[in-house]
Amino acid sequence: MKVNKNLPTPLYHQVKDYLEEKIILGEWDPGYQLPTEKELSAHFQVSTITVKRAIHDLVNKGILYRQRGKGTFVSRKEDKDIYQLVSLRNEAEEDKHHPHKSLSFQEEEAGVKIGKMLGINAKDKVYKIHRLKIEEETPVGIEYTYIPYSLFPGLTETMIEDDLFYNVFTNKYGMNLGKAKIFFSTIIADEYEANLLKIPKGEQLFVLERFTYTEEQQIIEYSRFIIRQEKSRYFIEIRL
Amino acid sequence: MKVNKNLPTPLYHQVKDYLEEKIILGEWDPGYQLPTEKELSAHFQVSTITVKRAIHDLVNKGILYRQRGKGTFVSRKEDKDIYQLVSLRNEAEEDKHHPHKSLSFQEEEAGVKIGKMLGINAKDKVYKIHRLKIEEETPVGIEYTYIPYSLFPGLTETMIEDDLFYNVFTNKYGMNLGKAKIFFSTIIADEYEANLLKIPKGEQLFVLERFTYTEEQQIIEYSRFIIRQEKSRYFIEIRL
């Protein structure tokens, strides 16, 4: 296959479209390792710079990802409903695993920032829970959860190890949950995040921030989820 | 104010926390121009490299933004409900402006990718509508909308110029809207996007993709919204 040098569409764009079509049509499955840049440039009869640029664009779009020393692969994205983030575990899910690796479980002063978020004083104590979300033995997300100490006396690491926060809130502490407010943003991985997630520093990460309110509009939890992009694609469905 | 060089927390982290507190406490409002890096390094008695790193982190988090040749400013983020993206205009909003600049309005073949998304053949025709979203005279988002031609005969640029797509679908074409499915992701601004949005190439952008379904589960629209991060923060509220 040759690209068409007479078209007004830039060459790298034609290569990009061609690669993307392979993936959309399912000829290249998730996990498929792409030919090398040299092979692709021979195949299309374009420079490796053109191929590099096309691949770079598809990596930026999360369609491809690179593994150091191994090559370039088609991303395997799992579509995830945002509602999963706020759902109570039902019986059907009872034996599913939600594996986390605990990084720390501390009682500490809220500080200005977290205090403001939880609507408490900077000097008030909070539980700060820092965990790594694991899927198929791979770290996929970094989680920080902050909970006012005064509302959940006696909360222990064991209680949340094998249960969802929302189950603990309702079953163990009798809270009436009202609503969750979820914010979306992105960050660039710093060294700490890159090391935890085993990704290159500077990669884009997706951020979900969740505030949980009781029926009485009191904020009882703030969580920050920092998520690897090439592993999941979050969505929400809205009835019209 | 001096940072505490005896603390285990890295210096740049202490500077970052201090700057962030100023913003959270409202001492520095959105739009506030920060002191120069030199001034900050004198103030904290740390190197400008340390200050640079703290500011870099806050820019990456979207809390600060840089303007070329002008300096560093506190971001002005407007919280936006995702439901805005799927709402019909109500009477109260009737005279609000939703200004867009039209970049192109074309009828063309869907192609493999858009065809797959809309559930039509690659050779089927679609309307491709490309617009720039303007707020306070500033470009804040790039929008692409694809609509199957066969479902909306006679759609013109004028019809959507002053009305929401959903109003046109229901009022002009009698469609029964069923649901919208919205996906979240991020990209890195390429040259085209950077020029349109007047931002530096390589900046992070937030992407919302919307699929609109009829009651009968037919996809009637696919839109891709590419949004400047420092202008808005999207959220959703979920009843528990």
Side-chain angles (χ1 to χ4, degrees):
Chain A
M1 189 260 179
K2 270 176 75 172
V3 296
N4 184 343
K5 297 191 181 175
N6 298 320
L7 281 183
T9 319
L11 292 182
Y12 86 92
H13 218 288
Q14 293 184 46
V15 172
K16 188 176 100 171
D17 284 349
Y18 177 84
L19 299 177
E20 215 176 344
E21 272 189 32
K22 286 267 187 202
I23 296 163
I24 291 166
L25 294 173
E27 289 177 37
W28 290 357
D29 286 329
Y32 176 86
Q33 177 166 12
L34 264 68
T36 64
E37 288 170 0
K38 246 191 197 156
E39 285 165 353
L40 288 171
S41 86
H43 179 77
F44 291 111
Q45 303 184 21
V46 297
S47 70
T48 52
I49 293 174
T50 300
V51 169
K52 264 186 216 300
R53 181 149 181 212
I55 288 178
H56 179 78
D57 270 25
L58 292 173
V59 169
N60 273 350
K61 285 174 80 181
I63 290 168
L64 299 176
Y65 69 98
R66 275 189 259 256
Q67 268 196 303
R68 224 192 164 94
K70 289 191 179 168
T72 307
F73 300 83
V74 176
S75 300
R76 182 190 308 277
K77 290 212 182 191
E78 194 192 338
D79 286 353
K80 289 193 178 162
D81 195 327
I82 298 278
Y83 283 96
Q84 282 181 1
L85 281 181
V86 296
S87 65
L88 297 172
R89 185 188 295 177
N90 57 40
E91 280 177 41
E93 270 194 289
E94 207 54 45
D95 39 81
K96 261 197 209 162
H97 271 301
H98 300 269
H100 284 88
K101 185 185 163 199
S102 177
L103 298 173
S104 67
F105 181 98
Q106 288 168 284
E107 297 160 19
E108 58 180 42
E109 281 186 6
V112 170
K113 185 172 153 189
I114 299 301
K116 184 108 174 177
M117 286 177 158
L118 291 173
I120 59 178
N121 293 320
K123 293 275 174 204
D124 288 345
K125 274 173 81 182
V126 293
Y127 296 100
K128 178 182 175 182
I129 300 152
H130 183 23
R131 306 191 298 175
L132 204 55
K133 179 88 184 281
I134 313 283
E135 276 173 17
E136 294 168 4
E137 289 163 41
T138 308
V140 293
I142 300 171
E143 304 186 2
Y144 296 90
T145 297
Y146 300 87
I147 301 172
Y149 184 84
S150 62
L151 295 178
F152 298 95
L155 186 73
T156 64
E157 197 163 2
T158 322
M159 284 161 78
I160 51 146
E161 218 163 57
D162 246 356
D163 209 347
L164 298 173
F165 279 118
Y166 281 15
N167 282 345
V168 175
F169 294 165
T170 52
N171 300 340
K172 296 242 165 66
Y173 289 92
M175 291 278 175
N176 288 317
L177 304 182
K179 68 171 185 193
K181 196 166 175 180
I182 296 170
F183 288 89
F184 306 89
S185 60
T186 73
I187 54 164
I188 303 278
D190 65 17
E191 216 165 303
Y192 180 71
E193 290 148 357
N195 283 341
L196 275 182
L197 295 174
K198 296 177 181 160
I199 55 170
K201 197 181 143 185
E203 198 167 290
Q204 288 196 106
L205 295 167
F206 189 55
V207 179
L208 290 169
E209 290 172 282
R210 176 181 75 186
F211 294 84
T212 308
Y213 294 73
T214 61
E215 286 276 12
E216 297 76 29
Q217 301 297 316
Q218 182 174 26
I219 299 174
I220 55 169
E221 183 243 9
Y222 163 67
S223 284
R224 188 156 190 265
F225 305 98
I226 301 167
I227 301 158
R228 279 175 72 172
Q229 280 231 79
E230 81 279 21
K231 292 288 174 187
S232 355
R233 202 165 64 131
Y234 279 88
F235 72 92
I236 190 152
E237 270 189 20
I238 298 174
R239 298 266 343 138
L240 298 176
Chain B
M1 188 259 177
K2 271 178 73 174
V3 296
N4 184 343
K5 297 192 181 175
N6 298 319
L7 281 182
T9 319
L11 292 182
Y12 85 92
H13 218 286
Q14 293 184 46
V15 172
K16 187 176 101 172
D17 285 349
Y18 177 85
L19 299 177
E20 215 175 345
E21 272 188 32
K22 286 268 188 203
I23 298 164
I24 291 167
L25 293 173
E27 290 177 37
W28 290 357
D29 286 330
Y32 176 85
Q33 178 166 11
L34 264 67
T36 64
E37 287 170 1
K38 246 192 198 156
E39 286 164 353
L40 287 171
S41 86
H43 179 76
F44 291 112
Q45 303 184 20
V46 297
S47 70
T48 53
I49 293 173
T50 301
V51 170
K52 264 186 215 301
R53 183 151 179 210
I55 288 179
H56 179 78
D57 270 26
L58 292 174
V59 169
N60 273 351
K61 286 172 80 179
I63 292 169
L64 300 176
Y65 69 97
R66 276 189 259 255
Q67 268 197 302
R68 223 193 166 94
K70 288 192 179 167
T72 307
F73 300 82
V74 176
S75 299
R76 184 190 307 277
K77 290 211 181 190
E78 195 192 339
D79 285 353
K80 289 193 177 162
D81 195 327
I82 298 277
Y83 283 96
Q84 284 181 358
L85 281 180
V86 295
S87 65
L88 298 173
R89 186 188 295 177
N90 56 41
E91 280 177 41
E93 270 193 292
E94 207 54 44
D95 39 81
K96 261 198 209 160
H97 271 302
H98 301 269
H100 283 89
K101 186 185 163 198
S102 177
L103 298 173
S104 67
F105 181 99
Q106 288 167 285
E107 297 161 20
E108 58 181 43
E109 281 187 7
V112 171
K113 185 171 152 189
I114 298 301
K116 184 108 174 177
M117 285 177 158
L118 292 174
I120 59 179
N121 292 321
K123 293 272 174 207
D124 288 345
K125 272 173 82 182
V126 293
Y127 297 100
K128 178 182 175 182
I129 300 151
H130 183 22
R131 307 191 298 175
L132 204 54
K133 179 88 184 284
I134 313 282
E135 277 173 18
E136 295 169 1
E137 290 164 40
T138 308
V140 294
I142 301 171
E143 304 186 2
Y144 296 91
T145 297
Y146 300 88
I147 301 172
Y149 185 84
S150 61
L151 295 178
F152 299 94
L155 186 73
T156 64
E157 197 163 3
T158 322
M159 285 162 78
I160 51 144
E161 217 163 59
D162 246 356
D163 209 348
L164 298 174
F165 280 118
Y166 282 15
N167 282 344
V168 175
F169 294 166
T170 53
N171 300 340
K172 296 241 164 65
Y173 290 92
M175 291 279 175
N176 288 318
L177 303 182
K179 68 171 185 193
K181 195 166 175 180
I182 297 169
F183 288 89
F184 306 88
S185 59
T186 72
I187 53 163
I188 303 278
D190 65 17
E191 215 165 303
Y192 180 71
E193 290 148 358
N195 284 341
L196 275 183
L197 295 175
K198 297 178 181 160
I199 54 170
K201 197 180 143 186
E203 198 168 291
Q204 289 195 104
L205 295 167
F206 189 55
V207 179
L208 290 169
E209 289 172 282
R210 177 181 75 187
F211 294 84
T212 308
Y213 294 74
T214 60
E215 286 276 13
E216 297 77 30
Q217 302 296 317
Q218 183 175 25
I219 298 175
I220 56 169
E221 182 243 10
Y222 164 68
S223 283
R224 189 157 189 264
F225 305 97
I226 301 168
I227 301 159
R228 279 175 72 173
Q229 280 231 78
E230 81 279 20
K231 291 288 175 188
S232 354
R233 204 166 61 133
Y234 279 88
F235 72 92
I236 190 152
E237 270 190 18
I238 298 175
R239 297 270 338 142
L240 298 177

